[in-house]
Amino acid sequence: MEIYDYIVVGAGSSGCVVASRLSEDPAVRVLLVEAGSDMNNFWVRTPAGAGKLFMDKRFNWAFNTEPVPTLGGRKVYWPRGKGLGGSSSINGMIYMRGQPPDFNHWAALGNEGWGWADVLPYFMRSETNQRGADPWHGGEGPLHVSDAAITHPTADDFIAAAQHIGIARRNDLNGPPHEGVAYRQYTIRNGRRHTSYNAFVEPVRHRRNLVVRTGVRVTRVLLEAGEATGIEVLENGERHSIGAAREVILSGGALASPHLLMLSGIGDGATLQRHGIVPAIESPEVGHNLQDHWFGALAWRVTAESSYNHRLRGLRKYLEGARYLLTRRGYLALGAAPVTAYARSEPGRPEADLQLTVSPMTFKIAPSGEPVIDDFPAIGASVVLLTPDSRGHMELVSPDPLRAPAFHPNYLSAPGDIRRSIEGMRMMRRIAQAEPLASRLIHELSPGAPVTSDEQWLEHIKTNGNSGWHQVGTCRMGSDAQAVVNPRLRVRGARRLRVVDASIMPRIVAGNTNAACIMIGEKGADMIRADALSARPAARPAAH
């Protein structure tokens, strides 16, 4: 059997970090396996290409949830990255870490070593910030974090209007006080998307002790007497096994990692038996504690100069394309909505629980999956509830590893989530009605001025809202007996098996999740190296 010291399953935001950091030790041999392909594609590397990847099944698992009762039976589309870099290759490139209370809350739940003071050094270690190093940011890390390539007057006016209603202007939303309104930063380097693969693996892929394989579908973790000994894979149409002398690390993300645990016999025993899977370790919370961000959307028709829709249509879009190819700047070098405000839905909240954003561009997704820029000047806005109390779950529907699980997100099932989301939508409208932004608006397109009551707002949020595509929590970290992994990220009841990705979050962070996933990869790799398990006596790594 082919044997490595460490096998990392999933080359996404966390997995690339883990594989890169573990392979810094030339004495160990690391295998990084990815079910998808290489992502070296023009639209992947072009920041504004994110819309084109939204439904492209070459690079996207393109999941759908089950009908969601709390949304009137809607199914919700969940894009997930498929290939080197994972979802960092198809996301909006927003670099937001979350807020200090998020991580202090993790620690308060019994996860020692996961407080803000503990995780900040890992955020900093991973980062080279365009603004330079300071007490909150790194200047020598693999991941490049940059300011928006260009600014727009409408974005400036959103900041001023937010100040008008009492939201403080900030320069850095990833540093104290972590609340207010500002321009965002992005994982973009020299005008090109900088994925976790580009940052952490691509520069070191020449290492002789690091092997990266794509097109490898892991079907289960091999377990012997409660110990992970390797993985079973489907590769080039053939099923075979690969051994791990030290550890198997699952970094497939919040949807793939719990699925793989279940397929391996780790989960709720009765459910596994119904699908013909022999239970190996009883862990009923696998796949539970599913959390995601839900957002409501608004849009306005605006004066001609207040939107850049016209710059991305007709002949002008070719001029923008040429500008990007020649300079790596312009509108094609932009990530998702450039400005955001972090605010509290209620005065007594311990942290900002709303993320309010505006983009001077609007589009619709055509039936073909292609984004189509609107042919009139408009701006769009979103209101994300950052700290939802609603919890969902995922479940097996088949023992076939190639068949996706069923996803039940249970959005807006907690009454407080509804109340706070509606308050956020009203706050966004108040910002839009404040000067100087108000002078740019002609009329509200969605949901429309007649929508004013709680019932109308809720119907709009349920019918036209969407996922923030930030699924987490399905392999919850904790020190209690029901947690799927312990604070060292070891799977409870199993030896030589860890989960290192978004699924370990006990509670979703109050921000976008990519930066936190990279931090988890950094910290997880440090834990693995610090614990330094010796090779299993029966295992011998492949020759270097």
Side-chain angles (χ1 to χ4, degrees), residues 218-447:
V218 180
T219 57
R220 66 187 175 108
V221 177
L222 300 174
L223 296 168
E224 293 179 12
E227 183 170 270
T229 61
I231 55 175
E232 181 184 81
V233 304
L234 190 62
E235 186 175 17
N236 299 321
E238 295 185 356
R239 198 177 297 262
H240 64 99
S241 299
I242 305 172
R246 296 175 188 262
E247 293 196 49
V248 174
I249 300 105
L250 304 186
S251 296
L255 307 185
S257 288
H259 186 210
L260 195 50
L261 288 179
M262 294 177 197
L263 293 169
S264 308
I266 303 174
D268 177 69
T271 302
L272 298 177
Q273 286 180 320
R274 282 202 305 271
H275 291 288
I277 297 172
V278 177
I281 296 168
E282 180 69 18
S283 188
E285 273 206 23
V286 172
H288 289 260
N289 193 47
L290 173 62
Q291 299 160 66
D292 190 14
H293 289 139
W294 186 257
F295 71 85
L298 302 94
W300 294 267
R301 186 150 189 156
V302 295
T303 57
E305 74 282 359
S306 299
S307 167
Y308 60 80
N309 282 354
H310 66 289
R311 299 293 294 265
L312 299 174
R313 291 184 58 87
L315 178 62
R316 288 189 179 92
K317 73 178 179 182
Y318 297 106
L319 296 176
E320 276 300 318
R323 178 187 183 189
Y324 177 74
L325 290 172
L326 291 170
T327 67
R328 299 279 185 223
R329 297 189 65 79
Y331 291 108
L332 293 189
L334 288 177
V339 283
T340 193
Y342 283 81
R344 305 181 194 213
S345 63
E346 301 161 329
R349 298 295 303 181
E351 63 187 349
D353 61 336
L354 297 173
Q355 183 191 68
L356 306 100
T357 67
V358 158
S359 176
M361 182 269 288
T362 57
F363 66 93
K364 296 177 179 64
I365 298 291
S368 65
E370 283 285 307
V372 179
I373 306 297
D374 288 324
D375 60 359
F376 54 87
I379 64 173
S382 66
V383 176
V384 183
L385 180 64
L386 294 171
T387 58
D389 293 321
S390 301
R391 297 291 184 269
H393 72 282
M394 52 183 281
E395 61 182 346
L396 277 180
V397 296
S398 168
D400 179 357
L402 303 187
R403 187 171 174 189
F407 305 114
H408 303 276
N410 218 18
Y411 294 117
L412 301 176
S413 57
D417 290 1
I418 294 172
R419 182 185 70 252
R420 293 186 290 140
S421 294
I422 291 171
E423 176 52 34
M425 298 292 280
R426 289 192 167 117
M427 187 182 297
M428 185 68 244
R429 186 181 271 174
R430 288 199 300 275
I431 294 173
Q433 292 171 346
E435 293 295 350
L437 188 58
S439 296
R440 296 185 175 276
L441 309 186
I442 296 174
H443 65 268
E444 186 174 296
L445 296 168
S446 177

Side-chain angles (χ1 to χ4, degrees), residues 126-168:
S126 68
E127 175 194 21
T128 287
N129 198 291
Q130 176 184 331
R131 302 178 187 177
D134 63 24
W136 312 105
H137 291 283
E140 299 179 351
L143 182 72
H144 282 247
V145 176
S146 61
D147 294 316
I150 52 176
T151 59
H152 192 278
T154 299
D156 294 331
D157 287 353
F158 168 76
I159 291 174
Q163 290 178 270
H164 189 90
I165 74 159
I167 300 173

